[in-house]
Amino acid sequence: YHADDVCIAQTYIDFYNKEKNENMLKPTIARADWVLNNPSNGSMDLDYSKGSTIERWTWCDALFMAPGVYTRLYTLTGNRKYMHFADSEFRATYNHLYDKDEDLFYRDSRYIGQKEANGKKVFWGRGNGWVLGGLSEILQALPAKDKHRRFYEDLFVTLSARVAELQSKDGYWHASLLDPESYPSPETRATGFIVYALAYGINEGLLDKDKFTPVVVKGWQAMLDAVSAEGKLGY
């Protein structure tokens, strides 16, 4: 069930698309079918002491790991059961972790109600980057006229606009989106995900080029600044 273990299937599907070898796809389909035939009834409130609470997508990173796999299985096979499952589980996470006042995702339910040092709500930069990256993967797979697409496009545009507002002066998105001063260290994974997603949105015509290109360029430059003399990406 664990979304992190499902993520590897993205690579297997890429190999299948390149080689068209059915054997590359069979294990992924077998596992996906098993999950669909044995759906978890675990709680959406994450509790690491209870294994059943990581069987569903109870943390926002999972929205990058798993939904894109099921979405691509839908478009590869034409079988809507994969998209029905992906959409149902994604929306369960959205309904549980998305704060409609802030237009941001909590990392998981444990952070709902917590406050940063400055009194703001706790929203993890990298986690929201995971979600934006995941939405980019879903949208690349979903056909333009698919009935599910509008929800994901609208969420992508809304979340993109929100995180663009939260870019720090140094070009990075920090560990805490609403309290970057408490976490001044650069965060290149959050920044990388967001730059990737915003660039995708610009290229696909989902985001205004004039408004978002400066944000992407500034974020990309921040990532370049984090590369050491040895060529390693830091932070």
Side-chain angles (χ1 to χ4, degrees), residues 117-118 168 174 176-185:
N118 65 359
S168 295
H174 294 265
S176 173
L177 289 175
L178 300 187
D179 189 13
E181 292 182 2
S182 292
Y183 304 87
S185 175

Side-chain angles (χ1 to χ4, degrees), residues 29-163:
I29 290 177
R31 171 50 53 180
D33 285 349
W34 187 91
V35 171
L36 267 62
N37 291 329
N38 299 273
S40 172
N41 61 359
S43 170
M44 292 299 295
D45 289 317
L46 181 63
D47 181 346
Y48 283 116
S49 70
K50 299 177 181 178
S52 64
T53 69
I54 57 172
E55 291 178 349
R56 299 184 70 190
W57 305 339
T58 52
W59 66 108
C60 70
D61 322 22
L63 297 182
F64 175 89
M65 306 298 180
V69 170
Y70 291 99
T71 303
R72 291 165 76 182
L73 286 178
Y74 156 56
T75 56
L76 273 174
T77 67
N79 195 324
R80 299 195 67 84
K81 68 180 182 180
Y82 298 115
M83 193 61 218
H84 175 75
F85 177 80
D87 185 61
S88 176
E89 290 300 295
F90 189 107
R91 287 175 187 260
T93 306
Y94 167 83
N95 290 332
H96 204 57
L97 299 182
Y98 186 68
D99 186 307
K100 293 183 179 179
D101 293 327
E102 294 290 352
D103 286 324
L104 294 168
F105 280 83
Y106 291 101
R107 195 273 175 182
D108 59 68
S109 60
R110 299 172 301 168
Y111 293 91
I112 298 173
Q114 292 195 38
K115 297 294 175 65
E116 296 284 15
N118 65 359
K120 298 291 183 66
K121 297 176 183 178
V122 180
F123 294 109
W124 189 33
R126 190 186 308 171
N128 282 271
W130 280 115
V131 176
L132 269 178
L135 286 167
S136 302
E137 295 299 306
I138 292 170
L139 290 172
Q140 287 177 61
L142 273 180
K145 295 183 179 180
D146 189 275
K147 68 177 183 178
H148 297 289
R149 188 176 178 89
R150 175 57 67 87
F151 168 77
Y152 296 101
E153 275 194 5
D154 289 349
L155 179 57
F156 174 83
V157 171
T158 299
L159 186 56
S160 294
R162 180 61 170 133
V163 299

